[in-house]
Amino acid sequence: MAKLTWGMIGGGAGSQIGPAHRLGAGLDGHFAFAAGALDHRAADGVAYGRSLGLPDDRSYGTWQDMLAGERTRSDRVDLVTVATPNATHFAITKAFLEAGFHVLCEKPLTMTIEEAEEIVRLAAACDLICAVNYGYSGYPLVRHMRAMVARGDLGRIRLVKAEFAHGHHADATDADNPRIRWRYDPAQAGVSAQFADCGIHALHMACFVTGQAVTELSADTVSCIATRELEDDAMVNFRMDGGTVGRLWTSSIALGNQHGLSLQLFGEKGGLRWAQEQPNQLYHMPLGGRLQVIERGEPNLSPEADRATRVTIGHAEGMPLAFANLYADLAEAIRAREEGRAMDPAANLYPRAEDGLRSMAAIFAVAQSGRNAGAWCDARPPMFR
Ligand code: NAI
């Protein structure tokens, strides 16, 4: 099978998330890394791209140069990943969609709901794939949770509890460190800090596994480190369109928590519990039964979990493999379009621009509710009301 080609904007030397994308995109051999504008310092980006093996004429200094260079090539890249800081996502994603490229954008999709709606409309009008990197949805047992809910194993889901609470910004004496301070500065981060950075992953996971969308929410947001303008902790209560009640806690001052991402579901016929730091085990409590441990890689899981599993049972599974599952889904989506066939339903799970838009609406609702003593707010984007 011919490889698809892939380009990246952002993810330069020393970036946090660039290496995970390169590992994820290349892991299964679906995508060959063919072009990039990797750094906000043009010369550094060009040099780093070359060091990663990009040809001289496809290691670009700026994303505008990459757009100009790629759009006229007969072998233009099949997919562009946008892994730059948040405030640049909208302009870059819009420009590449307008030029006819499929895009995978990092979260949050944009800085405002209006921008996210524009991206959703544009991708639909151009009939292009626009995905958002809620990469944790790529874990095999997360996909298995979704499959168990969809096939009714748990009955109606009464409650979902999602957490993304880490302790890496807990040091008040380090709050002015420039690598941390910008995240809590409204001019650079937007209306929300911790919820927009981490809480939306937990919220997306709650929606992904239940197959439901958030309708309204109430948020208690707080800056535990008083010099911060934006929240470093939030407790969000929410309601979903299938009747499920949601509870979400996100924090960056939870000392002792490392990554701190976990999800629990409580249905009429059973409960499920999964934590990202132990991704190979899913705990299932059937009503009236005994607690069971579902292991990644065991026989007779769902097609969605089987498709996303590479290493055999018992071996450790890393976070880039979850990203790799999104890239494998995107490769299947692009190929299905090119070949004029329906895509494998077990691959049709990558988060869409619509998910990015719903997150933007949730971010604004959390900020609004937090400012208004936890008043319940409509959390749906205007175009989905
Ligand atoms: P970072 O600050 O570590 O790296 C950003 C990279 O983008 C740097 O190499 C920088 O030089 C480059 N860059 C900045 N402006 C650019 C421009 N105009 N053109 C080309 N390159 C440019 O940031 P990090 O942590 O890697 O985050 C990047 C994005 O990924 C953010 O939107 C963040 O929210 C998201 N992210 C997503 C995660 C996930 O699990 N999905 C996890 C961590 C970050």
Side-chain angles (χ1 to χ4, degrees):
M1 191 163 23
K3 275 195 184 188
L4 298 166
T5 55
W6 172 66
M8 183 171 199
I9 299 157
S15 66
Q16 186 187 175
I17 212 63
H21 279 283
R22 286 187 287 274
L23 276 169
L27 192 67
D28 293 318
H30 293 301
F31 290 98
F33 185 33
L38 303 179
D39 202 294
H40 65 286
R41 295 154 300 201
D44 290 2
V46 169
Y48 189 55
R50 287 178 184 168
S51 79
L52 295 174
L54 290 181
D56 288 357
D57 63 334
R58 297 182 90 176
S59 185
Y60 299 94
T62 66
W63 66 265
Q64 290 91 342
D65 288 349
M66 178 166 155
L67 182 64
E70 290 299 310
R71 73 188 311 164
T72 53
R73 294 182 72 104
S74 58
D75 62 347
R76 64 194 335 231
V77 285
D78 295 297
L79 176 69
V80 174
T81 289
V82 181
T84 51
N86 306 354
T88 59
H89 292 175
F90 172 67
I92 302 174
T93 298
K94 182 168 183 275
F96 276 85
L97 285 172
E98 282 172 344
F101 292 90
H102 299 304
V103 175
L104 169 60
C105 182
E106 262 304 344
K107 44 55 64 174
L109 177 60
T110 55
M111 294 290 276
T112 70
I113 300 169
E114 293 75 20
E115 289 170 352
E117 287 197 337
E118 195 176 332
I119 295 293
V120 167
R121 288 206 177 89
L122 180 62
C126 302
D127 192 24
L128 287 164
I129 294 168
C130 181
V132 179
N133 191 36
Y134 291 117
Y136 305 109
S137 64
Y139 279 102
L141 288 181
V142 171
R143 294 183 167 198
H144 188 61
M145 285 173 99
R146 179 185 163 98
M148 287 179 75
V149 171
R151 70 190 185 200
D153 292 7
L154 308 182
R156 190 180 69 79
I157 305 301
R158 293 168 171 152
L159 197 76
V160 56
K161 175 174 167 280
E163 260 184 42
F164 197 159
H166 66 78
H168 298 294
H169 300 162
D171 184 355
T173 63
D174 194 38
D176 272 340
N177 176 338
R179 292 210 63 172
I180 295 176
R181 195 183 51 219
W182 73 265
R183 297 169 186 276
Y184 301 91
D185 172 4
Q188 295 183 72
V191 296
S192 161
Q194 179 58 19
F195 183 78
D197 194 31
C198 294
I200 56 167
H201 276 297
L203 193 67
H204 176 264
M205 295 277 271
C207 297
F208 182 76
V209 298
T210 59
Q212 298 178 36
V214 175
T215 54
E216 56 176 348
L217 62 79
S218 159
D220 180 15
T221 55
V222 62
S223 303
C224 293
I225 293 183
T227 52
R228 289 179 175 156
E229 267 192 72
L230 295 174
E231 88 286 352
D232 52 22
D233 187 283
M235 185 65 86
V236 182
N237 286 307
F238 57 98
R239 299 288 188 270
M240 309 187 81
D241 60 4
T244 295
V245 170
R247 316 277 185 219
L248 186 154
W249 175 44
T250 187
S251 187
S252 66
I253 55 89
L255 269 180
N257 279 13
Q258 289 305 329
H259 201 61
L261 173 64
S262 66
L263 196 69
Q264 282 180 278
L265 290 180
F266 304 99
E268 289 169 328
K269 295 195 291 184
L272 288 178
R273 171 161 52 94
W274 180 86
Q276 195 254 352
E277 288 168 56
Q278 292 86 36
N280 283 353
Q281 284 82 35
L282 174 62
Y283 294 88
H284 179 204
M285 180 71 213
L287 179 70
R290 283 221 173 98
L291 185 65
Q292 299 171 7
V293 184
I294 298 171
E295 291 281 345
R296 184 200 48 73
E298 71 181 38
N300 304 317
L301 293 182
S302 51
E304 291 90 337
D306 290 346
R307 183 178 190 280
T309 296
R310 288 177 195 78
V311 284
T312 50
I313 187 166
H315 291 281
E317 176 134 42
M319 180 266 260
L321 301 188
F323 280 28
N325 287 330
L326 265 65
Y327 279 98
D329 293 349
L330 290 169
E332 165 64 7
I334 294 170
R335 287 192 178 114
R337 282 162 175 249
E338 286 176 358
E339 293 161 19
R341 58 173 173 78
M343 74 181 285
D344 177 352
N348 197 7
L349 295 173
Y350 63 89
R352 312 301 218 257
E354 286 80 353
D355 297 299
L357 165 61
R358 287 186 195 281
S359 300
M360 293 313 302
I363 289 168
F364 275 75
V366 163
Q368 187 189 350
S369 176
R371 283 194 304 271
N372 291 291
W376 283 86
C377 295
D378 197 323
R380 297 166 299 172
M383 74 187 280
F384 296 146
R385 284 180 191 165

